Amino acid sequence: MAAMPAAAAAAVAAAAAPQQQLDTIQEGDHVIFDEHGEKKSIHAITRNGLAKVGKFRIGVGQLIGAPWGSTYKLAVDGSRLLPVTEHEPVLGPAVDEIDKDNATLVDANQRNQGLTSADIAAMAASGKAGEDIIAALCSNSATFEGKTEFAQEKYKRRKARKYTTSLSLRRPTSWGLCEVMFDKAPAGIWNLRPDSLSLLLSLANVAAHSRTLLLDNCQGLLAAACAERMCGHGVLCCVGTGGKAPALSGLRQLNLGQQQRAVVCMAQLTDVQQAAERLRARGEQQQQQEQQQQQEQQQQQQQVQANGSSQGQPAPGNKPAAAAADPAAAAPMAVDGEEDSAAAAAGGVTVTAGVPVAAAAAVAAVHEDEVLALYDNIAEDGSAEQEQPKKKKRRSSGRNQQQQQQQQQQQQQQQQGEEQRQPDPQEAAAAVGPADGKQPQQQQLEQQPEQQQQGQPEQQAAAEAGTRGSYTASPEQLESLLGQGFNSCIIAAPRLHTASILQQVLPLLAPSTPFVVFSPWQQPLAEAMAQLTASKAALMLQLQESWMRPYQVLPGRTHPLMNMTTGGTGGYILSGTTVAPAGPEPSGGQEQGSAGSRGGGRGGRRGGKRGRR
């Protein structure tokens, strides 16, 4: 009985281990260091890694196992990080009434502060904490007591940023990663701000189960944001140009799981276009085969009808000229030698004298081969019997040869069609369907990383190390994606000509697909918009500029921030929706009807009625 609680405790611990790993920092994770809420940087956590925090370089191995969102202070000597248990209020001091102002304050530099730089340096060298130095500065300031509560709080925060270092550990997100990249090197992401990034994802309708075509020249920032938003469901095809693989460094810095990375695949734009051409050619070939089969079926039906008309009673339009000229010859008459032969001749059957009309009609209704045998039985005169079977034998032998040739041709065509339609083993397996109930495309996308890893040991080792989060799509997968069509598209490649790249990308998208194009300049997007409007390749075109102003939100002092570091603009965005290619032109009646319906007054209504008629 004593072993049961231990086993239960072990089971609970094993179940809680994955959740604990999600809530704490693990080796190999990327962490955003937030210093005083102002300066942000991203670092990879390794046991022997170093990172610069403030004025010191510290080892980041001590952060392994720390909870996400925890706050630390840097020790005075900069050797280690000390956890912070008490946090300052975010909203600052609560002030009901303001009975002071800063009108009498004069910035006299060193005259208002009793401590000199040497005194402050001696305090730091003696091991005084930053809070002690800040308290000494406040007590030795001649103007501190005369300041308002707000001014005193700002003074303390300004000195705290100088003499103390506060560090918060943030989990990487697409918004936080964009802030880090924008603050560190905005030119590397073409000045793409977080608000512009959010607008791109919303206008492109990137979500779970979407099939997104992405052209990203922003260091993989857009790829990381799309993969995060898709939550491991769907397909994200990152295309490159010029034979270069797309940069996906931002994708590795987001700490995505294996399922979230499995939706990402890489391909060259030329490979995608070639797959589209193969798919289009295959569709045209299938259409031609279907048309050819329909024509063959029609020919066979016509041949059957022709054989039936020749073996049975002829159609009214095929009567002999003699019967058409003399109606009386076709009328039934009493059975009598010459009259019988005339009636049979008028009915399209040549018999000898003395053969009854009923026998001649029975002869006409029998197969051609049986006609010859019946003629041998019923013929009494040898002269007519010798001429008629010879003619029919010649006709029958010629028809038999034609039928044999046609049958041989049909058999050859059927054999060729069966060889062309012979399914590939992979296609056959996809047609049968997987046993686990997943779609064939999803199963192929899930199996592709395993195939890549089994075939290439170097890529397998890189994937295990966490340095590779995507794989190269095979031609079969590209054709499968193009068969369904991409239903979302984002282009962020300002170095490429916008109008030219849109001409190459839009044919790869499904009809009614939203697409967005980002550029830090307005003119290339305006030219592309004019070209799309003229060609009628898209609708709902919009060219907009993203703009953001941060605000300080505090009780009694909410106002825009004075120092805006985001710049005047966050770039320009062109958005629209693709249109299906134009079909055949409507008939004349439909055109007249539409013109009449558009026309005003009674004339327009009359035109519409005439069109409908």
Side-chain angles (χ1 to χ4, degrees), residues 73-89:
K73 289 193 307 181
L74 188 63
V76 178
D77 57 353
S79 60
R80 64 186 187 281
L81 293 174
L82 304 176
V84 175
T85 56
E86 296 181 0
H87 299 275
E88 297 180 359

Side-chain angles (χ1 to χ4, degrees), residues 272-605:
V272 180
Q273 292 175 342
Q274 292 175 3
E277 290 295 334
R278 290 195 302 269
L279 195 63
R280 189 179 300 110
R282 190 178 303 167
E284 293 177 355
Q285 184 179 4
Q286 291 179 357
Q287 187 176 4
Q288 291 177 359
Q289 290 179 358
E290 292 177 357
Q291 292 178 357
Q292 185 177 2
Q293 291 178 359
Q294 292 179 359
Q295 292 177 359
E296 292 176 357
Q297 292 178 0
Q298 292 178 0
Q299 292 177 359
Q300 292 178 0
Q301 292 178 359
Q302 292 176 0
Q303 183 178 0
V304 171
Q305 292 177 359
N307 293 336
S309 62
S310 62
Q311 295 172 6
Q313 294 293 339
N318 296 330
K319 289 182 178 181
D326 189 8
M333 299 179 65
V335 178
D336 196 21
E338 296 178 356
E339 295 177 355
D340 293 345
S341 61
V349 179
T350 304
V351 296
T352 57
V355 177
V357 177
V363 169
V366 185
H367 193 268
E368 186 175 1
D369 297 333
E370 298 178 357
V371 170
L372 300 176
L374 290 174
Y375 269 110
D376 295 335
N377 296 329
I378 64 176
E380 296 178 359
D381 190 12
S383 60
E385 182 182 2
Q386 292 176 359
E387 294 177 0
Q388 188 68 20
K390 289 180 180 180
K391 295 180 181 180
K392 288 186 176 292
K393 284 182 181 179
R394 294 192 192 101
R395 289 197 298 267
S396 63
S397 60
R399 289 176 182 176
N400 291 334
Q401 292 178 359
Q402 292 179 359
Q403 290 179 0
Q404 291 178 359
Q405 293 177 359
Q406 290 178 359
Q407 289 178 0
Q408 292 178 358
Q409 292 178 358
Q410 291 177 3
Q411 290 178 359
Q412 293 177 359
Q413 291 177 359
Q414 289 178 359
Q415 291 177 358
Q416 293 177 359
E418 290 177 357
E419 292 177 357
Q420 293 177 357
R421 291 191 299 269
Q422 186 174 3
D424 189 69
Q426 297 180 356
E427 297 179 357
V432 173
D436 53 359
K438 295 183 179 179
Q439 296 296 330
Q441 178 190 358
Q442 182 178 1
Q443 188 178 14
Q444 289 179 0
L445 293 175
E446 291 177 355
Q447 292 177 355
Q448 184 65 20
E450 299 178 358
Q451 296 175 0
Q452 293 286 338
Q453 293 176 4
Q454 293 175 2
Q456 300 179 0
E458 296 180 357
Q459 295 183 1
Q460 182 179 2
E464 292 177 355
T467 58
R468 181 177 177 84
S470 59
Y471 60 92
T472 302
S474 62
E476 292 78 9
Q477 289 178 341
L478 292 178
E479 293 178 4
S480 177
L481 288 175
L482 292 170
Q484 297 180 356
F486 294 100
N487 56 11
S488 176
C489 178
I490 300 178
I491 301 175
R495 291 185 182 274
L496 303 178
H497 192 262
T498 306
S500 300
I501 202 67
L502 281 175
Q503 289 181 352
Q504 302 178 33
V505 171
L506 291 186
L508 305 176
L509 308 180
S512 303
T513 295
F515 66 92
V516 291
V517 186
F518 172 79
S519 177
W521 308 293
Q522 182 181 8
Q523 187 62 28
L525 299 184
E527 295 177 357
M529 183 177 181
Q531 184 174 354
L532 292 175
T533 304
S535 62
K536 298 181 180 180
L539 49 82
M540 297 178 64
L541 295 172
Q542 292 183 354
L543 179 58
Q544 51 189 319
E545 176 186 5
S546 60
W547 188 81
M548 180 180 68
R549 169 180 285 175
Y551 273 75
Q552 170 187 291
V553 181
L554 292 174
R557 52 196 187 278
T558 298
H559 58 79
L561 295 180
M562 298 297 102
N563 298 326
M564 292 181 59
T565 59
T566 55
T569 178
Y572 300 88
I573 297 175
L574 173 64
S575 61
T577 305
T578 59
V579 180
E585 295 183 357
S587 60
Q590 293 179 356
E591 292 179 354
Q592 294 177 3
S594 60
S597 61
R598 288 194 300 268
R602 298 174 59 185
R605 289 192 293 272

